[in-house]
Each structure stands twice: as C-alpha cells, then as structure tokens.
Amino acid sequence: MKKLFLKKSLMTIIFLLSSLAHAADEIEVPDDELAKESVLPVFDSVVSVKNRNVSTAGRFDFGIFGGLALTEPINNTTKVGLELNYHLNENHSLGANFTMNSSGLSKDAQGLKNDFALDFNRAPKPQSTMMLDYNYSPFYGKMSVTKEGVMNTTIYGSGALGLVKYEHKSFPAIAIGIGERFYFTHRFSLKVDLRVFAHQAPIPFQKGAMCDGSLGLCNGGVGLSPQPVPALSSFKERLTYTTNLQIGANYLF
Amino acid sequence: MKKLLLLLLISATAFAAPPKPKPAKKAIQKSSITAAISQMKSGQHLSAANNLLALSRRPELQSDRSQIKFLLGLALMELEMNQVATFQFVDVIKIGDPRFVKKAIEKLLIVTDKLGDETLLNYAIQRIDVNSLPKSTQELIYFRLGEIKQKSGQFAEANRMYSQVNPGSRYYLNSLYNLGLVQAEAGQTGLALETFQKLVSTRTKANVTDTNKVAAQMAIARTLYQKKDWEKSIEAYSLIPRDHPLWHDAVFEQSWAMFRAARFRSSLSNFQTLHSSYYDDFYIPESLLLRSIVYLYICKYDEMDKVLTLFDKQYGVVGNQIQKFLQSSNNAEAYYREVEKAYAYKYQDRAKARGKLPYIATRFIANEGNVRRSLSYIQKILKEKKMIEDDSRIKNLVIGSYSLKLLNNRIKSAKDRTGDMVKAHLQNMATELVDLREQASLIRYEMINGKKETLKKRLSEKDINDKTETDEKSREFYAQNGYEYYPFQGEFWLDEIGNYHYLGKQSCE
C-alpha cells in the first residue's frame, strides 16, 4: 500500500514537472546538430571528467550514519556512528569510523524471550565497533531525475580493519563493502553503504543457560526454576559474518 | 625477392670493373672487394660493412671508392642502418663515377623516403633523370617533385607531377590529396571538390576513421567554405567522425561556417565545446575572438566581456612569454629543447617536463607539419643510434664507432634545423598574437559602443526597469526532437564534448 502511494506521488510529481516544462521556452535544435555518434573525441590524455563539481582530493569529510545489521539474529540490529575520512586524491581515501550498537535484543530474540523465556540478554552483546577504513572510488558520475538539476554520485569499494567490542572482550574484525554517495551540493552528500564484517564472536546459544524461568518453561517445561546466568566468558566463539547496511550524511570540508 | 634483388645488384657491381688498373693493385682490390661481396652474398652484412669501410679508407683503392662505398651502403641498408647508408650513397654521387651514380641516387631516394630525410631526398631528386628509373621509383619522384613545386607556388607544374602518380602506387592517395589542395590553392574549387570526392570514394571500404578518408572529407568541407557555400560546408564538417584527431579542427572551422551562415546559436554551441577544460592545452586564440564577435551580433555584451577578458588572460601571458623567450634565446638547440619538452609533457611525467615556453604554444608547434616530420625523422635516427649502442657486435667494430660519430653529427644538425623551424613558428605566433590582441581591442571598443547604444535607447524609452540579459538566466526550456534538457553546471564530461547546445536568445533591442 505504501509502495503504491509512493508510486502515485512520484507519478504526480513527474506530471507536474513535465507540465511546468511545457510552459517554458521551446527550443528546437536542428537535427543535424544532435548527437549521432556514441564515440568519444580523441585527446592526448583520456580524462572522463574535467572541472569536477565535487572535488575531494586533499580534503576531509565528516559523516554521521545509522545502520542495520541485516543478518543479526539475536541482538538489536540498529546502530549509529561517526566517521572521518581524508581523501588522498579523487579516488583514494583513508579514514576511521566508530559505531555504537543499540542495546537490547532483536525482535526475533525478544519473541523467544516472550514466548519461551529464553533470555538472550544473558549472552554477550556487541557494544561498539571501531574501524580504520580505506575507500576506493573508481566511478564518479552524475544523475538527474527531473532534468531540472543534476546530482553527482560516486561509487566506492571499501576495506576496513578494526575491533568489535563485546561486553566482555574485543575481537579483531575485517570488513569489505560497496557504497554510493549522492552529492546534493558540492559538499553535502548522502551515503549508502553495504558492508560484510568478519570476526570472531561469541555464540549466543548455550544449552541449559538461557532460560530465565519467567514462564516456568525451563528445561522443556519440566524444571520450574530459572537456569543460572552463565559467565560471559563461558560462551564459545566462532567466526561470524554480519552484513550491515548503513545510511549516512557526509560533509566535505 | 628482396634478397634476390640484392644479390643481383651485388653481382652487377662486381662485374663493373674499374678502367685499366695496375696489375699489383688490381690483385689487391679484386681480392678484398670480392671477399666483401662474398660476405654480403652469404648474409654476413656486418663483417662486410666493416671490411668495406676499411677498404674505403685505403688510398691505393681510391679508384674503386665508388664501388666500395656503394656496396657499403647496400650492406648498411641490410643492417637497417639507413641513415649511415645515405651518406655512402651521397659520397658515391659526389665522386661522380657514372657506373654507380644512377644506382646510388635510386638507393638514396628509397632510403631517404623511408627515413623522411627531406634534405637528402631533395638532394637526390635534383640529380635524377626520372625516365631512367623503374616505374615504382618514378612515382616517388613525381610525388616528391609535386610537393616541391607546390611549396614554391608552381601549381600547374605540381598538378602535372601529381597527376602522373597512378592508382596502385603507395603515393597515390597522398598525390590525390595534394592534387586537390593544389587545385584549391589555384582557385579551381570545382576540380578540387571532384578530386577530394574521388579520394573519399577510393576509401569507401576503409574504416570510418581512416585518415585519408577523413582528411579528404575535411578538405571537401574546407573547399566548400572557400566557395562560400556555408550550409554545405557545415554539413561536410559534421561528417568528420568524432573519434578522429581532425574532429577538433572540424568543430572550430565549422563554427566559422556557422557564423558566416548567421547560425549564431549553433556556433555558440560549438564554442561551449571548444572552450571547455578539455581544450586547455589547445592553441585556438581566434576561437575566443570569434565567440566574442558572435556575442556582439546578438548583443550579449556581458558574455562578450567575459570572453575578451579570458582572451587577454590566457593569450596575453602566452604572447608575453613567447616574446621574452625570443628575445633571450638565439640558440637553435634551446628552441628544439622546448619542443622536446612539450613532447615529454604530453607523454611522460608532466611535472618534470615543464619548459620555459607555455605548453599551449609548444604543443601547437610540435604538431605543425614540418616540425612533426622533423621530430619523426630525429626519432628514427635516435632509434638507429640506440640499435647500434645496444648491439655490442656492431658497437665494438670500427663501423660501429664510425656510425655513431656520423649519427651524432646528424642528430645535432637535425635538432638545430628543427630548432630553427620552431623559432620561425614562434615568431609567426608572436606576430599573430599581437595582431589578435589589436583585434580584441577593436572588438572591445565595439562592445562598449554597443552597451552605450543600448543604454541610450533604454533611457530614451524610459525603460530602465526592463530586465537585462543577466536577469534572464533562470529561464526554463522544453527541448523538442524528443530530447530532454539537461542543465550545464560547470562540469565537462568527455562523452558530452560536442553535444552542447546554447539555449540563450539574442538580446538586441
């Protein structure tokens, strides 16, 4: 339903804009002057764009972002963060980012707690992530939805090294990703970033340790008393992959 | 086949005995020359060349010097040491032994044509009887003679020479093109168009970017412009493929045709391309003045002012730097170095290759026909020199050190000659810029005059509240032809170059 509304709104906007365009000056370009070839002119050096609207070389950008851990089953999937990048040139940048995880459980884990008294708050939860980040932006482009204005975009790949901090311990982590920035002005951009993190992490499942006894269902409904809270360090660890989707706003100084 | 010809040639020279030698001397020369010939026949060209060089220096073999030098030239040609070979043939021609002169000239023609050594080529051409040469070589001579006549303005003679080059000859396409140029220069535009059309039709099956085809198409457009057929000229220019280096010239020249055809909007569209950042290294001062004149015609005085200011800023500096360099440098080598740096700037690390002259000027000069040919010739000699230096077998022999000495001298003189060419071009450029700056001043005067007249008119009509041209920049457009309007925001994209369309209106009241 929401999608349908969005679609209808878009159609209306496009119709209104096109009506406005009809009201504007009419220009007829002679056919022989219109583009007939898709080949590129030959220059001494091939540069796809000159006099860029968004020039990042030698500049810092600062950003805030919010994210979702798409494949996180137990802990709260939302997070917020800050980042600072230095652009070595138009293509390469180095930076650091800090992400704070929201506390609590995911909807699914909360459901398990409500329905089966399985309290995953007993398992160690991630608290924050700190990464050193490298971005490579091979594509700089532009797009226009209404043809009234042009928005510049960059597509980048990223690689990061850092630490994921859990309540009891920190784990080294690596991440790779891909993202796109949409520049609304020469400085301000919206960023969409998809990353896959890989790191050792505690397995949040431990037999005979998760039931809090609130529903009297522990031990398959046989035992009534809550199971003892396990020590955080008692959880086994394994290599874990998490896919994160982040959306943020960045400002280029 | 090539080897067989060489063997025949060597055998022929062996039988061409010198007149009445003394018995003892005859024995010495026979044995040494015969040994060298045997070496050449067996493919030992390096040893043969080395021995022949030694023989050529022996005073007792003075009477056989022509034969020895000729054989040495042949051996060097086989070793791809063409420049060194040319000197042997020139020596043979200078000695004047009738048994070898004709053959030496023929070989000299071939080898200098390959090298692009115009000085020696002309030297050979002046000494040749065309009818005594084989047909394939005759066509080379006709083509080169045509060029010489064309340069000296003898169009009828040049026409006659080019017309004798037949289809099938490797000089045919160039001759046809030059023939068209000669006809155009002689004012025979109809004939010139036919010739260029013929050239285009001979290349129908060639690639779209085939240089002969594109150059002919360009020549058609230029000839139509010469005929003042502006519309057809514009059409002809638009047929130049975008991915050919001549396209840039076509855009500029087409703008002139558009201006002459009073298609101001179209010419301004082209200027948006020509004055984009992609053309920062292009020397096209005239295009800025033409743009300002177009603005004058449509009363866009503010835009005109911007363009004239840009002209002063960009080409004022270029003119001053050229003048300064011309005053401070007399040495031809210094001029050559500048063009060499421009070449390096184009292909290598730009930061390390900054010259004293602005790159925009040296790049333009490096692309001028005579300088380009000369640079290409120097590259060939340098390549030959490198080949000798890299091959220890040649380098360590007497022929190696002899060749290197010879090549070094040749490189120096070629560089000096190129330097002189560069200097001449710079002088022309300096004069042209002074002239263009004067024109810019006149245009500026017209601009001020136009502004004054507009203000007067407005004041008299008490219409001072009217919107000025700058107030109307926020206009919106609907593009016909099913295309969509995409606003320009200062960024230049390679795939948009050539596709800009000026959408302003004339502001004359």
Side-chain angles (χ1 to χ4, degrees):
Chain A
M1 190 62 192
K2 269 185 184 173
K3 273 187 181 172
L4 191 66
F5 174 74
L6 189 69
K7 207 173 174 183
K8 277 187 174 175
S9 309
L10 268 174
M11 293 295 284
T12 316
I13 290 167
I14 290 167
F15 174 75
L16 282 172
L17 286 171
S18 63
S19 311
L20 278 174
H22 277 288
D25 280 340
E26 252 183 38
I27 298 292
E28 187 167 21
V29 179
D31 284 340
D32 64 333
E33 285 178 31
L34 293 171
K36 291 187 221 85
E37 296 173 289
S38 57
V39 290
L40 302 175
V42 183
F43 288 97
D44 292 346
S45 57
V46 181
V47 182
S48 56
V49 59
K50 289 215 168 190
N51 203 28
R52 289 170 61 137
N53 281 337
V54 179
S55 181
T56 55
R59 295 168 76 178
F60 282 94
D61 83 67
F62 174 76
I64 52 169
F65 58 87
L68 275 180
L70 300 176
T71 52
E72 169 61 55
I74 303 298
N75 300 303
N76 194 329
T77 54
T78 59
K79 46 180 84 179
V80 290
L82 300 170
E83 67 173 335
L84 184 69
N85 294 299
Y86 177 71
H87 297 265
L88 304 168
N89 53 39
E90 302 292 3
N91 301 113
H92 302 275
S93 71
L94 288 174
N97 58 56
F98 176 77
T99 315
M100 192 81 148
N101 291 63
S102 301
S103 58
L105 298 172
S106 68
K107 275 186 181 172
D108 292 336
Q110 193 59 49
L112 289 172
K113 187 174 188 307
N114 297 342
D115 298 342
F116 302 102
L118 293 173
D119 184 7
F120 285 95
N121 282 315
R122 295 175 169 212
K125 289 186 286 299
Q127 290 182 317
S128 62
T129 309
M130 190 144 53
M131 306 292 278
L132 290 174
D133 198 18
Y134 162 75
N135 286 358
Y136 172 59
S137 313
F139 301 111
Y140 172 78
K142 63 176 184 178
M143 57 181 280
S144 177
V145 180
T146 63
K147 307 294 173 193
E148 293 295 311
V150 179
M151 179 189 282
N152 290 100
T153 65
T154 54
I155 296 177
Y156 61 88
S158 62
L161 279 174
L163 291 172
V164 177
K165 187 178 176 297
Y166 276 73
E167 288 164 325
H168 66 304
K169 193 175 177 183
S170 292
F171 298 93
I174 58 166
I176 55 165
I178 187 165
E180 181 154 12
R181 287 181 192 232
F182 301 90
Y183 285 91
F184 287 91
T185 69
H186 294 188
R187 290 170 180 273
F188 178 71
S189 65
L190 188 76
K191 179 176 161 181
V192 181
D193 189 298
L194 187 71
R195 285 176 194 237
V196 178
F197 284 77
H199 55 89
Q200 284 291 115
I203 305 167
F205 308 104
Q206 199 179 103
K207 203 174 174 186
M210 307 312 285
C211 185
D212 62 5
S214 57
L215 300 175
L217 291 172
C218 297
N219 303 320
V222 179
L224 294 173
S225 58
Q227 291 166 344
V229 177
L232 292 176
S233 57
S234 68
F235 285 83
K236 284 183 185 167
E237 293 167 6
R238 73 170 172 206
L239 184 61
T240 305
Y241 300 96
T242 323
T243 307
N244 277 15
L245 178 68
Q246 295 170 353
I247 295 175
N250 285 58
Y251 191 81
L252 203 57
F253 291 96
Chain B
M1 187 62 188
K2 196 182 153 198
K3 282 209 168 178
L4 190 69
L5 279 173
L6 182 75
L7 287 177
L8 280 171
L9 207 58
I10 295 165
S11 309
T13 56
F15 289 118
K20 294 177 186 175
K22 288 176 188 174
K25 196 178 171 185
K26 190 181 172 184
I28 301 164
Q29 78 184 53
K30 271 286 170 198
S31 61
S32 4
I33 299 171
T34 311
I37 291 170
S38 305
Q39 283 177 321
M40 285 174 75
K41 280 181 179 172
S42 60
Q44 296 169 287
H45 300 292
L46 181 57
S47 313
N50 204 44
N51 292 337
L52 285 164
L53 179 67
L55 289 174
S56 73
R57 288 168 172 175
R58 286 166 68 170
E60 67 269 28
L61 294 178
Q62 194 63 34
S63 59
D64 294 310
R65 221 163 152 248
S66 283
Q67 185 190 12
I68 296 167
K69 282 269 174 184
F70 182 70
L71 287 169
L72 178 57
L74 291 181
L76 290 167
M77 274 177 81
E78 285 299 311
L79 291 166
E80 293 290 322
M81 290 159 70
N82 290 319
Q83 184 62 65
V84 188
T86 57
F87 285 95
Q88 315 315 314
F89 298 131
V90 169
D91 281 349
V92 175
I93 297 163
K94 277 184 183 163
I95 295 165
D97 186 334
R99 292 170 303 154
F100 296 103
V101 168
K102 201 184 122 191
K103 288 177 200 163
I105 292 174
E106 202 183 318
K107 286 287 162 195
L108 184 62
L109 274 173
I110 295 166
V111 83
T112 48
D113 186 50
K114 215 187 267 185
L115 278 168
D117 184 346
E118 291 188 347
T119 318
L120 286 179
L121 188 65
N122 292 342
Y123 173 86
I125 285 172
Q126 283 161 16
R127 281 159 181 77
I128 198 108
D129 171 17
V130 183
N131 297 322
S132 67
L133 294 170
K135 200 162 170 41
S136 58
T137 319
Q138 273 182 9
E139 290 185 325
L140 185 161
I141 301 288
Y142 286 132
F143 173 65
R144 294 292 180 187
L145 278 173
E147 281 190 324
I148 293 168
K149 302 287 177 195
Q150 188 181 353
K151 268 183 200 165
S152 60
Q154 296 170 273
F155 300 132
E157 270 299 293
N159 192 326
R160 201 173 64 78
M161 291 297 155
Y162 288 134
S163 304
Q164 291 187 67
V165 181
N166 296 308
S169 161
R170 59 181 281 237
Y171 302 97
Y172 178 65
L173 296 176
N174 287 344
S175 295
L176 206 56
Y177 180 77
N178 284 359
L179 177 64
L181 287 187
V182 166
Q183 288 164 336
E185 279 183 89
Q188 301 165 320
T189 46
L191 282 176
L193 280 174
E194 276 175 31
T195 307
F196 292 130
Q197 288 289 7
K198 191 175 166 188
L199 180 51
V200 171
S201 52
T202 57
R203 306 296 295 163
T204 315
K205 288 179 182 169
N207 272 343
V208 178
T209 51
D210 173 69
T211 294
N212 285 307
K213 196 169 162 179
V214 177
Q217 184 58 42
M218 189 82 172
I220 289 171
R222 284 170 175 165
T223 313
L224 287 165
Y225 185 90
Q226 190 181 343
K227 275 184 82 180
K228 299 186 176 173
D229 192 342
W230 316 124
E231 288 299 336
K232 280 192 180 164
S233 170
I234 293 167
E235 255 174 64
Y237 277 120
S238 63
L239 293 176
I240 304 295
R242 188 166 297 192
D243 50 345
H244 192 277
L246 277 174
W247 181 77
H248 309 295
D249 291 337
V251 176
F252 172 55
E253 291 171 24
Q254 191 189 40
S255 310
W256 262 113
M258 286 165 164
F259 170 68
R260 301 295 294 268
R263 284 171 61 172
F264 300 135
R265 195 203 56 75
S266 308
S267 63
L268 286 170
S269 300
N270 277 3
F271 289 133
Q272 181 70 9
T273 288
L274 286 173
H275 300 145
S276 71
S277 309
Y278 280 95
Y279 289 84
D280 284 350
D281 293 336
F282 284 61
Y283 177 80
I284 34 176
E286 208 183 304
S287 68
L288 283 170
L289 294 190
L290 182 59
R291 186 174 187 170
S292 68
I293 293 169
V294 176
Y295 281 136
L296 179 67
Y297 270 76
I298 58 171
C299 309
K300 292 272 186 194
Y301 302 117
D302 290 348
E303 294 300 319
M304 201 179 161
D305 193 21
K306 279 181 209 164
V307 173
L308 288 173
T309 308
L310 181 67
F311 174 83
D312 289 339
K313 195 179 155 194
Q314 199 169 344
Y315 291 101
V317 177
V318 172
N320 292 341
Q321 280 182 298
I322 292 174
Q323 291 285 10
K324 206 172 151 191
F325 192 82
L326 282 170
Q327 281 161 9
S328 64
S329 310
N330 274 321
N331 185 0
E333 206 191 325
Y335 288 90
Y336 171 77
R337 270 203 306 272
E338 288 300 311
V339 160
E340 198 179 40
K341 277 179 188 162
Y343 201 75
Y345 188 78
K346 186 173 170 181
Y347 295 110
Q348 296 158 19
D349 184 358
R350 294 197 150 198
K352 290 178 187 168
R354 274 261 174 227
K356 287 180 184 164
L357 283 167
Y359 176 63
I360 191 172
T362 46
R363 181 189 175 277
F364 178 80
I365 290 171
N367 284 324
E368 286 286 285
N370 59 349
V371 177
R372 203 177 60 230
R373 280 196 294 277
S374 204
L375 287 172
S376 149
Y377 167 60
I378 291 169
Q379 287 301 319
K380 281 179 187 162
I381 324 178
L382 287 171
K383 197 176 161 194
E384 193 171 319
K385 186 185 166 194
K386 190 172 181 307
M387 185 200 77
I388 297 168
E389 284 172 339
D390 290 351
D391 192 334
S392 56
R393 288 177 310 135
I394 307 177
K395 197 183 167 188
N396 296 333
L397 291 173
V398 180
I399 188 77
S401 50
Y402 162 79
S403 301
L404 285 175
K405 196 177 163 189
L406 220 140
L407 287 175
N408 283 332
N409 285 335
R410 194 67 192 154
I411 289 165
K412 191 183 177 319
S413 62
K415 283 183 176 177
D416 286 349
R417 208 176 56 244
T418 314
D420 288 337
M421 286 176 198
V422 174
K423 188 178 180 182
H425 281 298
L426 278 173
Q427 282 164 340
N428 290 341
M429 203 178 245
T431 314
E432 186 196 24
L433 283 173
V434 169
D435 184 40
L436 290 175
R437 280 160 90 173
E438 276 173 23
Q439 286 185 42
S441 306
L442 284 173
I443 297 168
R444 199 177 276 282
Y445 166 77
E446 289 296 333
M447 177 189 79
I448 295 165
N449 211 25
K451 268 185 178 177
K452 190 181 79 185
E453 290 303 319
T454 310
L455 282 173
K456 262 187 187 174
K457 203 170 179 185
R458 281 193 190 160
L459 284 170
S460 65
E461 288 170 4
K462 295 181 180 175
D463 201 12
I464 45 176
N465 291 327
D466 270 7
K467 282 182 180 176
T468 62
E469 57 186 272
T470 44
D471 297 329
E472 292 175 1
K473 278 181 181 166
S474 59
R475 291 167 59 210
E476 288 174 342
F477 302 97
Y478 168 65
Q480 288 190 348
N481 315 78
Y483 285 78
E484 290 184 74
Y485 170 68
Y486 215 93
F488 173 72
Q489 295 187 331
E491 227 172 31
F492 295 101
W493 289 82
L494 186 56
D495 56 349
E496 290 175 355
I497 293 293
N499 291 331
Y500 295 112
H501 296 285
Y502 182 77
L503 300 182
K505 280 182 167 179
Q506 67 107 349
S507 304
C508 300
E509 291 171 17

